[in-house]
Every structure is written in C-alpha cells, then in structure tokens.
Amino acid sequence: MTCTDKKMQSGRSPKKNREMNGFLKGVESIGNRLPHPAMLFLLLAVIVVIVSHFVASQGVSVTYFDARAKAEVTKKAVSLLTPEGLRYMFNSATKNFTGFAPLGTVLVAMLGVGVAEWTGLFNTSLKKLLMNANSRYLTPIVLFAGIMSNIASDAGYVIVIPIGALLFCMAGRHPLAGMAAAFAGVSGGFSANLLIGTTDPLLTGITNQALKAAGIDMTLAPTCNWYFLAASTFLLTVIGTIVTDKIVEPNLGTYEGRYKPDDTPVTALETKALKNALIALLVYVCIMAFLMFPQNALFRSAEPGGAMTLKAFLHDGLIPAILLLFLIPGVAYGRTTGKLRTSHDLVAAMTEAMKSMGGYMVLAFFASQFIAYFGKTNLGLIVSFKGADALEAAGLTGLPLILLFILLSAFLNLFMGSASAKWAIMAPIFVPMMYRLGLSPALTQVAYRIGDSSTNIITPLMSYFAMIVVFMNKYEEDAGLGTLTSMMLPYSIAFLIFWSIMMALWILAGFPVGPDAGLFI
C-alpha cells in the first residue's frame, strides 16, 4: 500500500476539497503563475537595484546606535546603478553564492541524510514507527519536534522538514501538509523552546548592550524569556496542529503525486539491520557526548572571558556532526542488508543525494544575489527605522504599545531576515524607549521575538525559503512559491494572533517572562 492508497485523515470529501477555492487557493494560484522561483528571485533583485537608485537619489539615510558595533552609525541608501554598484554586483556574485548561509549547511548535511535514505534506513525506521501508531498524532509530534529542533540552530530545516513530509506520506496523509507543519514548527516557532538555545544569549547580549549605551544600570540573563517561551512551545504545538488538520491539509486535498515510498512488510534482515544501525547511533552519541559535555571536553573552546563553551562548535561544527549522525547508522544499516558493499556504493549514495540538490543550487544562486543586494543597498535598515519612527509617534503605552510593537516586528521581518541583525538595530531604539515607559527590557525582547518568528515562514528573505520549495518539488513538481505561501500563511496569521493574545493574558496575569525578569520597571 502506498501513500496514495490510504484514506486522508482530514475526513473531507473530494467535492469539499474542490470547493475550497477561497483566499488560500487564490494566493496559490496567483503565486504559481509567477515565473519559476529562480527567475522570481532574479526579478526581485532587479527591482531592488532600481528602487535603490531612486531612494539613494533622494539622499535618504538613517543614523542609529549599533548595539553590536557599540557605536553610532550613519547609513545611506546605496544605489547599485552606479559604477561602484555595477562593480559590486559582478565582483561579489560568486562570494554571495558561496557565502549563502544555507548552502553549505544543506549540502553537507544532505551527504549523511542521503546515505540514510539511499540504504533504506529511513524507510524501514518509519515503517516500524508507524506500524502501530495513530496517524492523527503525527501533526503535534512533527510540530513539537520542529519547535524543539531550534536548540540545534538551523539543523531542523534540513532534518525535520523533509522527515515531516515523509512521515505524513507513509501514514497516508498529504506529504506537503507534513512539510508545512514541520516548517511552521522549525521556523514559525523558532523563538519557542523548553530549553535555552543559541538565540537566547545572542539576543540578550544585544539587549544588554543597548541598556548600557542608554546609561541604564541593568543586565539581563540569557534565561530572561524562558518562562514565556517554554509555555509558548505548547501553545504553538496546539495552534499549529489545528491549522494543519483543519485548514492546510483539507485545502491540499488528496495526494496524487509521483512519490510512492516502499511499504512492503519489514523483513527479518531489515529488522537486524535496524538494530545494528541503532547500536551504531548510540555509540556515536556517547562519543559525541564525551567530546562535548565534560568541562574540558575537546569540542569546547575558550571564550574571551576564559570560560570553556560549546559556542564555536554549535556555530561551525554542528553540521558535520549531523552528517555523521545520519552517515554512521546509514552505513551500518547498508552493510547489514548488503546494499553498501564497497566504497563505490557509499559514494554512489552521496552522489544520488547531490543530484537532488541541483535545482536547489540554481535557486540558491539567484536567492543569494537578491538577499545580498537588499543588504548592500540598506533598504531593510531604512524600512526598519521608518517603522520605528511611526511606532514612537503613535504615543501609546502599556499593553497597546506591546501589541503594536509585535506587529511592527512581524512586518519588519518581511524585509530583514536575520533576527540578531534586526534586533541590533531595533534594541537601541526600543529598549530604552520602553524602559522609560515602565516596561522591562525582558518584556520588550520577548515581544520582539513573537513578531520576528511569526512571519519567518512567509518571507522570501528567510534564507531557507528557497530550499523548502525544492523539498516540495520532490512530491509535487508544479509546486512553487504560491503553493508554499498559501500553505504557510494560515500558520503565520494564527501564530501572530494567538501568540499576541497569550502575551496580553500573560501581562494581565502579571507573570514574569523569565527567572528574575518581571514585566514592569
């Protein structure tokens, strides 16, 4: 039985699916009539070039205190329709592509993931997992796993999202619904987690620098948002499950795509191979734990203050570690089943994985140019400051101010993808402003994180956006930016609304947002 043979879990008839031609179908239809995503990014890059010249010709500039540079900075709009701009576009094209943040992450991780998939480890593992499982519980499991994956920075994008699609497909559900749920958890829920991740100390450090620059004698701990974000994990899991099961999956209809995973019964040899893969995985995890967690572990490096931390490893070494996380069990499984006999077989498995990344590399080239141009021209900075000026001019205080700040953060995230870069600009403006109005910096920071996370999943400036389109094409060749946007828009709206409501109720209840982090000054 294939993933197209089982009954859809949404309970909607084909007729009802055909009738869902409302707003989301309109978004999908319009979006998919646009050029190929690669050409669309090229078109957006051209628009940025033209707009940059117009804005620069007006002499538009902004002056602000950069919390990371610890200095006042003036930035002017930069035209790319000048001799210097044209030289930049040609001279930086290769560097823009090779330096594109997700490119190395995706390609390196896929070497290991490809081996695990080629040998059949994924297929057998998922069949075992789903043998006695109720597929209705897949949605919250995938969402929760996506949210928790951000503890490993960007690893969830290349691991949880494709596995979410495969899980749904093998359970007889639409694979794009599984991909959407995983993407919503990984990216829409990027700021929520039960644990303290790498983003927490990064943003808190920027907040502390903004406080220091404003002459405010206060220092926040990296745990200052922990209570609220831990509770948010459960809220987003519930909201994301409802959106997936009641809106996204019914709107997608019955899956009739080309991808049909093997669903023959698990043999005795495959069971033995799976046990060997699990043993290999446990041995690897134990070795990595020894290299990471003792006080003077090999992968720990000294910080400027002298403390030994995993910061450098988590930033630069995690992806190779993830490669081995899938490669080692994949090899153990393949050796047992006989599919991996020689080194030639291993290279063939990796080569097969890279073949599927060809389309992504083309897309990444044009996406990287667009994102680089947008940063070079300073258009994102200008939009951010004009929005900040508008919020300050509104003259609001208390809860209305916080809610409007969340909306502003969500809007600005459409133009600046990096959470830390955006916060480095906004924190010196809003942290002191909110402080003067009696709102704690911890509250301001968590409000920013709500808005910043909620719209990650609908902006092409999010660096992994192009990659998700390529993952979708494995299941539906005609899927494009319109399909992705129409799938993710309900999550973005629901997360923004209900997360903001949770924030409002949290403030009204007077709960602290983290340990020793109250709401008001």
Side-chain angles (χ1 to χ4, degrees):
M1 184 164 54
T2 69
C3 64
T4 59
D5 294 326
K6 297 180 183 179
K7 184 178 179 181
M8 291 291 294
Q9 298 298 320
S10 64
R12 287 182 175 265
S13 66
K15 180 179 179 181
K16 289 185 177 180
N17 283 321
R18 288 194 298 269
E19 291 173 351
M20 297 192 70
N21 294 317
F23 176 68
L24 294 179
K25 287 294 185 183
V27 171
E28 179 180 2
S29 177
I30 293 171
N32 286 343
R33 287 177 184 172
L34 295 172
H36 186 280
M39 295 299 99
L40 184 58
F41 279 114
L42 175 61
L43 177 62
L44 290 172
V46 172
I47 292 172
V48 168
V49 171
I50 296 172
V51 171
S52 73
H53 184 70
F54 173 76
V55 176
S57 67
Q58 303 300 310
V60 178
S61 65
V62 293
T63 300
Y64 63 98
F65 181 86
D66 190 322
R68 292 188 296 184
K70 303 179 183 179
E72 193 171 84
V73 178
T74 297
K75 295 285 187 179
K76 297 180 180 180
V78 176
S79 171
L80 294 181
L81 285 179
T82 61
E84 184 180 352
L86 292 171
R87 285 194 296 270
Y88 164 79
M89 287 190 284
F90 277 87
N91 295 344
S92 68
T94 302
K95 185 171 66 174
N96 292 341
F97 177 52
T98 58
F100 189 48
L103 185 63
T105 299
V106 173
L107 296 182
V108 172
M110 284 303 295
L111 289 173
V113 171
V115 171
E117 183 173 12
W118 188 82
T119 58
L121 174 59
F122 276 173
N123 194 53
T124 303
S125 300
L126 294 180
K127 283 193 287 187
K128 279 283 190 179
L129 178 66
L130 295 171
M131 194 173 295
N132 298 309
N134 190 326
S135 65
R136 76 176 67 178
Y137 300 126
L138 281 182
T139 308
I141 290 171
V142 168
L143 273 153
F144 183 77
I147 294 171
M148 292 300 296
S149 72
N150 67 56
I151 193 70
S153 189
D154 293 347
Y157 288 100
V158 293
I159 297 174
V160 179
I161 292 174
I163 289 179
L166 190 57
L167 271 171
F168 267 56
C169 189
M170 295 189 70
R173 301 179 61 178
H174 203 297
L176 295 193
M179 189 173 293
F183 187 26
V186 171
S187 195
F190 191 76
S191 280
N193 208 296
L194 298 180
L195 304 172
I196 301 299
T198 56
T199 306
D200 297 276
L202 179 62
L203 296 184
T204 304
I206 295 172
T207 303
N208 287 334
Q209 187 58 45
L211 289 168
K212 182 179 178 181
I216 299 172
D217 186 18
M218 177 183 287
T219 301
L220 301 181
T223 57
C224 66
N225 296 154
W226 184 31
Y227 293 163
F228 184 84
L229 297 182
S232 299
T233 302
F234 300 104
L235 172 77
L236 297 185
T237 299
V238 172
I239 297 301
T241 298
I242 294 172
V243 170
T244 303
D245 294 348
K246 301 299 182 181
I247 300 176
V248 174
E249 191 167 11
N251 195 48
L252 287 168
T254 303
Y255 178 62
E256 297 177 350
R258 57 177 180 162
Y259 187 79
K260 296 177 176 62
D262 174 28
D263 56 0
T264 56
V266 177
T267 66
L269 180 61
E270 288 174 332
T271 300
K272 178 183 177 181
L274 196 59
K275 290 179 180 178
N276 290 341
L278 180 59
I279 292 171
L281 176 63
L282 291 175
V283 170
Y284 173 70
V285 169
C286 290
I287 292 172
M288 289 299 295
F290 176 74
L291 294 173
M292 291 171 61
F293 297 120
Q295 185 60 36
N296 294 312
L298 179 65
F299 287 156
R300 288 180 177 267
S301 55
E303 293 295 305
M308 300 292 288
T309 72
L310 287 169
K311 183 177 179 181
F313 173 77
L314 293 175
H315 186 270
D316 299 318
L318 187 61
I319 297 303
I322 289 174
L323 183 157
L324 295 175
L325 183 71
F326 289 93
L327 178 64
I328 291 173
V331 169
Y333 181 90
R335 292 287 293 178
T336 305
T337 60
K339 191 163 186 179
L340 277 181
R341 297 181 182 276
T342 68
S343 61
H344 295 283
D345 295 330
L346 179 61
V347 174
M350 293 182 173
T351 302
E352 191 65 29
M354 289 300 101
K355 286 180 182 178
S356 66
M357 289 289 100
Y360 172 66
M361 294 179 71
V362 173
L363 192 56
F365 175 79
F366 293 103
S368 66
Q369 306 309 317
F370 163 60
I371 293 173
Y373 292 176
F374 204 80
K376 178 68 174 179
T377 58
N378 293 326
L379 293 179
L381 284 171
I382 291 168
V383 171
S384 296
F385 274 90
K386 296 304 179 184
D389 291 342
L391 180 58
E392 193 167 11
L396 299 175
T397 59
L399 181 57
L401 176 61
I402 287 292
L403 295 178
L404 190 58
F405 180 60
I406 292 173
L407 291 176
L408 176 67
S409 300
F411 174 73
L412 296 182
N413 191 48
L414 299 175
F415 302 92
M416 292 186 69
S418 171
S420 59
K422 195 159 57 266
W423 188 230
I425 296 167
M426 297 176 67
I429 302 170
F430 290 107
V431 169
M433 184 185 89
M434 301 286 201
Y435 183 90
R436 289 193 297 269
L437 294 173
L439 302 176
S440 78
L443 176 61
T444 303
Q445 179 176 290
V446 80
Y448 163 75
R449 298 179 73 172
I450 292 173
D452 176 69
S453 288
S454 297
T455 50
N456 271 342
I457 48 182
I458 59 171
T459 172
L461 281 171
M462 200 280 293
S463 53
Y464 286 93
F465 205 75
M467 184 196 74
I468 309 302
V469 175
V470 175
F471 283 165
M472 289 169 57
N473 292 148
K474 176 178 179 178
Y475 298 94
E476 289 193 0
E477 291 181 329
D478 297 332
L481 287 178
T483 308
L484 180 56
T485 303
S486 68
M487 285 196 312
M488 303 317 299
L489 192 59
Y491 294 103
S492 188
I493 294 172
F495 282 7
L496 188 59
I497 291 174
F498 288 99
W499 217 348
S500 297
I501 291 173
M502 177 181 171
M503 168 59 76
L505 295 175
W506 198 279
I507 292 173
L508 293 174
F511 297 144
V513 291
D516 299 318
L519 300 171
F520 307 104
I521 303 301

